[in-house]
Amino acid sequence: MDLNPGKRYSARDLYQELPAPWKARLFQLLRDHPIAHENKPALFGEIFNQLCQYSYLARFKFGADLKDDNKARLARIKGNEMYHPRVMKYNDALVYYNEAIAFAPQDSVDRAIAYANRSIICLEQGMYGECLVNTQLARESSFPQRFLGILAIREAKAKAACQAMRQQNKVGGNRNTNRNRHQAKDLRLHTLIPCEGCTMVMYCSEDCLSKARLQYHRYECTIIRNLWNLSGVYAITVWRTIAKAILSFQNLQAMKEYLEMTLQLNQLCDIAANSLALTPYRTNINPALPFRTFLAAIMHRMVLDGTQLGPFCVYDPAMNRLLCDLILHYLNVFSEIERT
């Protein structure tokens, strides 16, 4: 699950604000330097350097995605407001409690209380097993001793309800005894656990978290918040797809050969014709190409500076060129996401 932090200042906003001379310069770079395999790193570097020169990147507030007690408490307060008897927006409260869990440091009191708050939502919605999962998570996360009695009462209610349901099932009674369970939009939201390295994603189990880290998250964890700030789901989808492709190989050389071959086949099929088939001094450039190249240049530098792939690309120009190819290619493949 990716947490949605709300509206942001995006790469599209910045691109639209760029002065006309700057855009003209970018257009000239694309026209005069065909985006061939060998030229992308130099072109991306020039675009990024110009952005730094004008201090545009400061608007995105890029930085380390750190756990934050204050943000966790604020999210929990909002959750309590949604839970209030006069409001009773349990699903909204659940979203805020999950946000509090994601922001709270590991084994902190704030996280423990957020788990306990989430157990109340489970109890109200008739999700008794999930309630017990959350009370156990609260106990494992430094839950305050003075409130353990309240937690025990809640656990007793959930266990009694579970027992009653089992008894009804044994005698062939109505299996759908959780009358409020249908009110939950997504049952997975009630037991999510956070990644300890970022505040953007949560998982349904430790097994799910481990698989995600092996398959893609270790290459996105340190930059996923910045990717969101840059271009939301669009940038995250593009980079996650690339990370999955890279991590599906154990041998970097085999990975490079396969992905290079795939990109070449895609070019022949015109999948990425708008960005990969330009010739020198060509003037009929795809209108979307300047923005995607602009976005690709920022993403490329973000990956170099913020992920484990950076050192590989520094010492292996072929890997660096491939990374540039992949980013721009998948920005074209997933362009429909950016327009939604």
Side-chain angles (χ1 to χ4, degrees), residues 207-220:
D207 183 58
C208 181
L209 188 156
S210 297
K211 288 180 179 178
R213 187 153 190 86
L214 287 174
Q215 293 172 1
Y216 60 87
H217 190 60
R218 58 179 152 148
Y219 279 166
E220 71 172 17

Side-chain angles (χ1 to χ4, degrees), residues 49-123:
N49 289 337
Q50 289 195 34
L51 284 173
C52 292
Q53 179 181 350
Y54 290 100
S55 302
Y56 287 124
L57 295 180
R59 301 190 188 186
F60 293 115
K61 299 180 180 179
F62 290 154
D65 186 14
L66 303 176
K67 301 295 183 180
D68 190 319
D69 282 317
N70 290 329
K71 290 182 180 179
R73 292 185 192 117
L74 288 174
R76 190 157 48 82
I77 289 171
K78 291 180 180 178
N80 292 341
E81 292 172 355
M82 294 296 102
Y83 171 75
H84 193 279
R86 294 182 180 178
V87 181
M88 296 179 64
K89 293 184 177 180
Y90 294 150
N91 290 319
D92 292 339
L94 186 64
V95 171
Y96 284 119
Y97 291 148
N98 279 335
E99 186 176 340
I101 291 167
F103 273 111
Q106 187 176 18
D107 297 327
S108 66
V109 173
D110 285 299
R111 183 181 291 185
I113 294 176
Y115 280 135
N117 291 151
R118 200 168 65 177
S119 73
I120 300 174
I121 300 297
C122 294
L123 196 63

